[in-house]
Amino acid sequence: MGCLDSMRECCDRPKNTNIRISFPAVCFVWQTAMIILFGVFIRYDEESDTHWVEYKKEKNITSDAENDFYFRYPSFQDVHVMIFVGFGFLMTFLQRYSFSGVGFNFLIAAFGIQWALLMQGWFHSLDYTDGKIKIGVESLINADFCVAGCLIAYGAILGKVSPVQLMVLTLFGVTLFAIEEYIILNIIHAKDAGGSMVIHTFGGYYGLSISWVLYRPNLEQSKRLHGSVYHSDVFAMIGTLFLWMFWPSFNSAITDHGDGQHRAAINTYLSLASTVLTTFAISSLFQKTGKVDMVHIQNSTLAGGVAVGTAAEFMLMPYGSLIVGFCCGIISTLGYIFLTPFMERKLKIQDTCGIHNLHAMPGVIGGIVGAITAAAASKEVYGTEGLINTFDFEGHFERSPTVQGGYQAAGLCVAIVFAIGGGIFVGCILKLPIWGDVADEHCFDDEFYWEVPEEEESLHPVLEYNNHMMINKRTDMVESNFSEPQT
Amino acid sequence: MGCLDSMRECCDRPKNTNIRISFPAVCFVWQTAMIILFGVFIRYDEESDTHWVEYKKEKNITSDAENDFYFRYPSFQDVHVMIFVGFGFLMTFLQRYSFSGVGFNFLIAAFGIQWALLMQGWFHSLDYTDGKIKIGVESLINADFCVAGCLIAYGAILGKVSPVQLMVLTLFGVTLFAIEEYIILNIIHAKDAGGSMVIHTFGGYYGLSISWVLYRPNLEQSKRLHGSVYHSDVFAMIGTLFLWMFWPSFNSAITDHGDGQHRAAINTYLSLASTVLTTFAISSLFQKTGKVDMVHIQNSTLAGGVAVGTAAEFMLMPYGSLIVGFCCGIISTLGYIFLTPFMERKLKIQDTCGIHNLHAMPGVIGGIVGAITAAAASKEVYGTEGLINTFDFEGHFERSPTVQGGYQAAGLCVAIVFAIGGGIFVGCILKLPIWGDVADEHCFDDEFYWEVPEEEESLHPVLEYNNHMMINKRTDMVESNFSEPQT
Amino acid sequence: MGCLDSMRECCDRPKNTNIRISFPAVCFVWQTAMIILFGVFIRYDEESDTHWVEYKKEKNITSDAENDFYFRYPSFQDVHVMIFVGFGFLMTFLQRYSFSGVGFNFLIAAFGIQWALLMQGWFHSLDYTDGKIKIGVESLINADFCVAGCLIAYGAILGKVSPVQLMVLTLFGVTLFAIEEYIILNIIHAKDAGGSMVIHTFGGYYGLSISWVLYRPNLEQSKRLHGSVYHSDVFAMIGTLFLWMFWPSFNSAITDHGDGQHRAAINTYLSLASTVLTTFAISSLFQKTGKVDMVHIQNSTLAGGVAVGTAAEFMLMPYGSLIVGFCCGIISTLGYIFLTPFMERKLKIQDTCGIHNLHAMPGVIGGIVGAITAAAASKEVYGTEGLINTFDFEGHFERSPTVQGGYQAAGLCVAIVFAIGGGIFVGCILKLPIWGDVADEHCFDDEFYWEVPEEEESLHPVLEYNNHMMINKRTDMVESNFSEPQT
């Protein structure tokens, strides 16, 4: 009891945002740890090693075009753009938090991908003959995917945490992700090409749980900065569009060569197109005089990509993709209008970017769509070989599609459990008063972690001129006020 | 006569920009129609279907690398970026119309690609055995191309129409495009890899005709917003550069595998480089003290990509590409300086983005260059097989290059006729007073269709502080004025 | 002596920034020269020529996928984005020099790639049978690389030169680059996949030498514009991120097909990730209360990509890449904090963008890392064939790895010598008073070379309103002042 009291007391101390020791220390220690662990564990795989020349002869591979690099590298680069420019710029929408939005996104993604290569490597690509993890282009994509989960979580707590907290969030987030992913993909053997469950459901609820633990009762004191300005909204559109455009690459990046990648790209392209229209429609319908809200356009237009993630490689059919997008545009936009305020007021969950509407809900929908599509698969539609090929019904995973549907649903549950459990655990750690986060009245302000350029006066010569004249004038007036008595 | 009067009267009613019913209605109805039509007509082609495994065996294809996806997907993603970020951000240059520029571009492109898949599918890839349209990555590229025509047209009327009008413009635009394309490419059998004729000439004159019908006599009342600010010009450069950089992908995206794609990319790269220099030169030459104008750099530097579109896959030769770019930089920039003001004053064509200089004129030049290059083709330069391969002189299209040159010219005429005819027709529809467009004095203002963040005060702490002080001061002064009589 | 005096006198005349004749003249003359030289010298290579169909049969190539276009085009487009958007937007960080940053970058890159195709063609790909240069996609990448050297140099003198001077800098820069590259890669036979030596070391010291010659003693008179504003820093992050994300493509673009490209991409990815963490750490450590500085994040995070350039295709090992990135993040950030001010004060080198910290130093480190890694290569690690394949130890270049290490170091020296010698020479030419550069008090201002939109008032309705009221008020007050005597 005394312990709990002292803990509470400790948490109630005035906030100190000086992270001059803790932040560099965390960066240096963790990066050094990465170097050591990489030295011990990580090597090139046979396609990126100089032994490729000999490997080719051995395996009778006639062309370098068969190197996985050429099948996946263009998609990898698109995914990379989504992670750094897409997520980064999407979070620049706040008027005075653009530096942190894009900058800390950069930081934690760069850290996360290294840790992810290790964690995912241990689970997925450990070579038991020599105890090394062998990496290639697919590992890089998977690392980017893994980090996406943490970046999604960042969206919920944007503006309310310190960079040190974000590093901690990422360390645990990547760890949890790798375990959860291993259970869902390898043990349960669910399919999840675009990560509706593994990435978006997990990342969404992970972030929301953390935000719930870190609830800030007096956040309205920062209200003045909790909005956008004209140009910050345009910056955010850069993020939106790069996410939107490259989502077909995201969902197809690690699917099977050939028809798998091809089909996943088409399905995602269609689902996203459909989402745009229903997002505009709902946004206009619920605003006075039919005006559209930028927040919805920046976020809800992407929900279709999330929701089609699991089923993108299945025979969802073009119209099926359109239907998924159609529904998600509606649900996600309604979420922004009704659910986010409700969650803040009633559930004490403050969700800065509305990740519940963009990632969590559409992710769950995606998991369900995936389960249904899998359960409905048949040899008539897929072809005998196609069915085996698409679902990897081989070895001790020889299942009927119906059973696979059940396992898909199980996978979704695992993602949610890991996300909420992990989020609450990590949230409690982040609540410790040692991480240098800001007080409630200083949220959404770059000022505390960045050297911010002080003035923009020179941009407004006319205004500046007026102001200078007025200041002079004022001084004159003050003087004249003083001298007035004499007259 | 009475009918005409009542029509005119109807058009003269005060403008109502409330689109709360019409806009969502159009979005929902059309998206639902898309779902139904996709359900009836659209299926995966053999390269994106799960039957690919069996298809490969049947056709003796040894590697997944032969799937068209790997030949075209990187180019597709580049084209996708051009459509959404390129066109979108190019239209953010107006000081208070950036939301609409990038946002409505997003909306109509997302709608247009769906309708284009259907329209182009019916004309180009209907499988008569089962009455289905089979789509693959090339269909996605073609849909993006098709939508480009409508986005070009949007440039002419930017700031002067409502989103509902844009949806109508796109519906008809895509329909006209698909028919015109079918006539030019399939019936006339003209070649047009980068769409100088099919996309740019058509899109340009389609938009200009609509703008002519929708002429706004009192547009100068919106003059105050009809210009850029410093940062909106920088945003527009994002659009310009992504268009410029990825244009080689645009012109090579659907050309023949191998040398066709390779050559088209090289020609476009060179033409664009050349255009940049002459654009800077002319812009500087016609301004006081040699200053360069951002409008020219944002637009005219792209004219070389348009003009090399048709001939990009031919043996235009590297120096030929440079010459095309050289001329187009000059012509396009002179167009901005002399032609656009002339067209507005004398021809009553208000062209917000100057699409006549960027798309229409260079498109026509591109068509002519294509016709000449085709007519000049010879077996010496192309090789016997190369000539057949490049121009598809097979079956009942066995022609001499000279004849092909004639057909190329005919294709250009078809594009112009469809554009102007279609544009006038659609313009008349858009003139109906039911679409919620703004009054002349409210053009170029996001305020009417978007929730716009109200103030940027917090961005200018110094200014704000001064202003607050001054406001207080003023209040004081007002009070002191009142009290003055007493002194 | 008299000659020198008159020269000095000539240089001391008041600056005239009118470039209305000189600038267009240079553009037109040089572009015309390009067309003539391309006409005489440049043709398509066998993979982009229509004879490819026949060539395939001759060489028994079974698939179009073997065309080099499909191995390199995605990387080419990434490099292209780095050159135009990456470098361009990185230079938009100054508050009133964004137009010139992105605009002149565009201009000189577009000119440079043409001249580079010729210069590099003469040295590397001249076909002696017909005296023609044969170009393909690899030539385009190399041209982009070549231009990168000049763009790096632009960074040092950003804000202090006229566009005419930049054109001259580029003409000579490309020429020097092509010679230096020929010596390093072909004569010395050093390997330099990502151009640590050839591009970054050369470009860095070339720019710094020019800046030294063009030293402006009164530059502090422009201090008011020599900084960023909030949104210009966000624009610069666009450049940073696109450079960072696509650097793996930069370093792997022209390496060997297969494992070479694959490994180079992985090494660069890892090195860059590591750099980000140490950059944030050092930036925070040396600022009051641990705040991070945007300048460091924009620039130093990229140093790891530069430093891994030479060794990227070697068996540097994943942990080796991390170590390189680790060190470079530290060194580069410390460079910004201590070295740049020191160089300006003591060495009279004004380095606007800090290219010494971002390119020159990391480039030298990269050269050294390359030499060490090459010298340490062994058949155990590389495999017999792999060793020959990676270092091209064939023909009269059959060397031991140790010897190769020595040659690598020699290559680095050649790059530095060419850069400094060439830079001083070109600097002297640029010092002539005929190029239209600005006076010291007018540096970092777009006003002199661009038509700049005049006001942003409409963006600030509230402020504007206040100001208007105040101006009115002031007028009233002035009037009342006049009338005061009467009271």
Side-chain angles (χ1 to χ4, degrees), chain A residues 387-400:
Chain A
L387 191 64
I388 296 170
N389 198 41
T390 306
F391 293 97
D392 289 328
F393 285 155
E394 285 172 316
H396 68 283
F397 293 117
E398 258 187 63
R399 297 170 179 166
S400 75

Side-chain angles (χ1 to χ4, degrees), chain A residues 42 52 54-55 80 155 177 240 256 303 321 355 371 374 381 406 422-423 430 454:
Chain A
I42 297 208
W52 166 251
E54 289 156 21
Y55 180 85
H80 218 40
F177 183 99
T240 300
D256 284 344
S321 309
I355 62 162
V381 175
L430 296 184
E454 281 186 20

Side-chain angles (χ1 to χ4, degrees), chain A residues 1-10:
Chain A
M1 200 56 188
C3 160
L4 217 133
D5 271 351
S6 71
M7 162 94 185
R8 185 166 300 153
E9 200 173 285
C10 181

Side-chain angles (χ1 to χ4, degrees), chain C residues 60-368:
Chain C
N60 216 4
I61 297 167
T62 52
S63 163
D64 278 323
E66 295 298 311
N67 193 306
D68 198 34
F69 183 79
Y70 301 104
F71 288 98
R72 306 221 182 268
Y73 189 71
S75 305
F76 159 66
Q77 276 295 11
D78 293 349
V79 172
H80 218 40
V81 172
M82 292 174 73
I83 299 297
F84 289 90
V85 162
F87 282 107
F89 272 86
L90 191 59
M91 292 195 270
T92 58
F93 75 99
L94 290 170
Q95 57 186 284
R96 287 305 267 188
Y97 208 67
S98 305
F99 285 12
S100 302
V102 68
F104 294 150
N105 181 81
F106 191 17
L107 170 72
I108 62 178
F111 166 66
I113 51 180
Q114 300 177 54
W115 181 228
L117 282 173
L118 282 162
M119 283 301 303
Q120 293 185 315
W122 283 319
F123 280 112
H124 295 283
S125 48
L126 196 62
D127 181 343
Y128 289 100
T129 61
D130 60 0
K132 305 293 184 198
I133 297 161
K134 303 293 168 66
I135 61 170
V137 65
E138 196 170 336
S139 319
L140 305 189
I141 299 173
N142 274 314
D144 272 23
F145 278 4
C146 181
V147 149
C150 298
L151 301 182
I152 291 165
Y154 180 26
I157 52 176
L158 183 75
K160 300 176 291 189
V161 289
S162 76
V164 187
Q165 285 176 305
L166 288 173
M167 294 289 282
V168 175
L169 174 149
T170 307
L171 182 77
F172 284 102
V174 168
T175 313
L176 287 161
F177 182 99
I179 302 171
E180 164 238 27
E181 184 192 38
Y182 179 70
I183 295 173
I184 297 175
L185 301 188
N186 295 47
I187 297 183
I188 295 180
H189 198 69
K191 303 287 289 180
D192 196 9
S196 296
M197 305 183 285
V198 169
I199 300 169
H200 297 284
T201 305
F202 170 78
Y205 287 111
Y206 180 59
L208 292 168
S209 308
I210 293 175
S211 188
W212 179 69
V213 177
L214 297 183
Y215 180 69
R216 286 173 175 273
N218 303 313
L219 194 60
E220 78 287 349
Q221 293 177 359
S222 297
K223 206 185 163 189
R224 135 197 90 86
L225 291 177
H226 192 183
S228 64
V229 288
Y230 196 74
H231 280 163
S232 71
D233 267 331
V234 184
F235 277 119
M237 279 305 288
I238 298 175
T240 300
L241 288 175
F242 275 103
L243 286 171
W244 194 91
M245 296 180 305
F246 288 160
W247 216 292
S249 299
F250 192 92
N251 286 349
S252 70
I254 55 163
T255 50
D256 284 345
H257 292 177
D259 65 299
Q261 290 196 282
H262 205 149
R263 191 167 52 253
I266 293 173
N267 285 334
T268 312
Y269 175 94
L270 292 174
S271 175
L272 284 164
S274 178
T275 309
V276 174
L277 268 91
T278 51
T279 300
F280 267 94
I282 296 288
S283 182
S284 173
L285 196 61
F286 282 86
Q287 304 277 337
K288 213 176 36 179
T289 74
K291 288 186 188 184
V292 185
D293 191 327
M294 251 300 166
V295 172
H296 308 153
I297 308 309
Q298 281 160 11
N299 295 282
S300 297
T301 49
L302 303 168
V306 173
V308 89
T310 302
E313 58 179 330
F314 304 158
M315 292 291 278
L316 181 59
M317 292 297 146
Y319 68 89
S321 308
L322 289 186
I323 293 172
V324 171
F326 189 93
C327 300
C328 281
I330 296 173
I331 292 168
S332 176
T333 313
L334 291 177
Y336 276 98
I337 298 172
F338 297 113
L339 211 55
T340 301
F342 170 81
M343 281 168 59
E344 177 150 0
R345 259 183 298 110
K346 302 292 177 184
L347 306 183
K348 309 284 184 208
I349 299 175
Q350 292 156 332
D351 182 2
T352 311
C353 294
I355 62 163
H356 187 251
N357 315 305
L358 170 46
H359 296 283
M361 270 197 307
V364 171
I365 294 171
I368 295 167

Side-chain angles (χ1 to χ4, degrees), chain A residues 66 71 74 78 95-96 225 228-231 233-235 237-238 241-242 244-246 248-249 257-259 261-263 265-267 269-270 273-274 276-278 280-282 284-285 287-292 294 297 301 314-319 322-323 326 330 380-386 389-390 456-457 459-460 463 467 470-471 474 477-478 481, chain B residues 18-20 23-24 27-28 31-32 34-35 38-39 42-44 47-54 57 63-65 67 69-70 73-74 76-77 80-81 84-85 89 95-99 102-103 106-107 110-111 113-114 117 135-137 140 143-144 167 231 235 238 242 446-453 455-456 458-460 463 466 469-470 473 477:
Chain A
E66 295 298 312
F71 288 97
D78 293 348
Q95 58 186 285
R96 287 305 267 189
L225 292 177
S228 62
V229 289
Y230 196 73
H231 280 163
D233 267 330
V234 183
F235 277 119
M237 280 304 289
I238 298 175
L241 288 175
F242 275 102
W244 194 91
M245 295 180 306
F246 288 160
S249 298
H257 291 178
D259 65 301
Q261 291 197 281
H262 206 149
R263 190 168 53 253
I266 294 174
N267 284 334
Y269 174 94
L270 291 173
S274 177
V276 174
L277 268 89
T278 50
F280 268 94
I282 295 288
S284 173
L285 196 61
Q287 303 279 335
K288 209 177 39 177
T289 75
K291 289 186 189 183
V292 184
M294 251 300 167
I297 307 309
T301 50
F314 303 158
M315 292 291 278
L316 182 58
M317 291 297 146
Y319 68 89
L322 290 185
I323 292 171
F326 189 93
I330 297 172
E380 287 74 57
V381 175
Y382 286 72
T384 313
E385 278 191 76
N389 198 41
T390 306
E456 296 208 16
E457 281 183 294
L459 265 175
H460 307 282
L463 283 179
N467 277 292
M470 298 182 86
I471 292 163
R474 215 172 51 227
M477 290 188 305
V478 172
N481 281 344
Chain B
N18 189 333
I19 51 171
R20 193 172 172 183
F23 182 46
C27 289
F28 276 124
Q31 187 58 53
T32 310
M34 289 301 116
I35 292 174
F38 268 61
I42 296 206
R43 296 293 178 271
Y44 305 115
E47 298 189 302
S48 54
D49 193 282
T50 43
H51 290 86
W52 166 252
V53 202
E54 290 155 22
K57 282 184 194 159
S63 164
D64 278 323
N67 193 306
F69 183 77
Y70 301 103
Y73 190 71
F76 159 66
Q77 275 296 10
H80 218 42
V81 171
F84 290 90
V85 162
F89 272 86
Q95 57 186 285
R96 287 305 267 187
Y97 209 67
S98 305
F99 285 12
V102 70
F106 191 18
L107 170 71
F111 165 66
I113 52 179
Q114 300 176 52
L117 281 172
I135 61 169
V137 65
L140 307 189
D144 272 23
M167 294 289 282
H231 280 163
F235 276 119
I238 298 174
F242 275 102
D446 277 337
E447 197 68 48
F448 295 91
Y449 303 117
W450 296 86
E451 296 283 331
V452 178
E455 21 113 39
E456 296 208 16
S458 52
L459 264 174
H460 307 280
L463 282 179
N466 291 344
M469 285 199 56
M470 299 181 85
K473 195 75 219 167
M477 291 188 304

Side-chain angles (χ1 to χ4, degrees), chain A residues 294-359:
Chain A
M294 251 300 167
V295 172
H296 308 154
I297 307 309
Q298 281 160 10
N299 294 283
S300 297
T301 50
L302 302 167
V306 174
V308 88
T310 302
E313 59 179 331
F314 303 158
M315 292 291 278
L316 182 58
M317 291 297 146
Y319 68 89
S321 309
L322 290 185
I323 292 171
V324 171
F326 189 93
C327 299
C328 280
I330 297 172
I331 292 168
S332 176
T333 313
L334 290 177
Y336 276 96
I337 299 173
F338 298 111
L339 212 53
T340 302
F342 170 81
M343 282 168 58
E344 177 150 0
R345 258 181 301 111
K346 303 292 176 183
L347 307 182
K348 309 281 183 209
I349 299 174
Q350 293 155 330
D351 181 4
T352 312
C353 295
I355 62 162
H356 188 252
N357 314 306
L358 170 46
H359 296 282

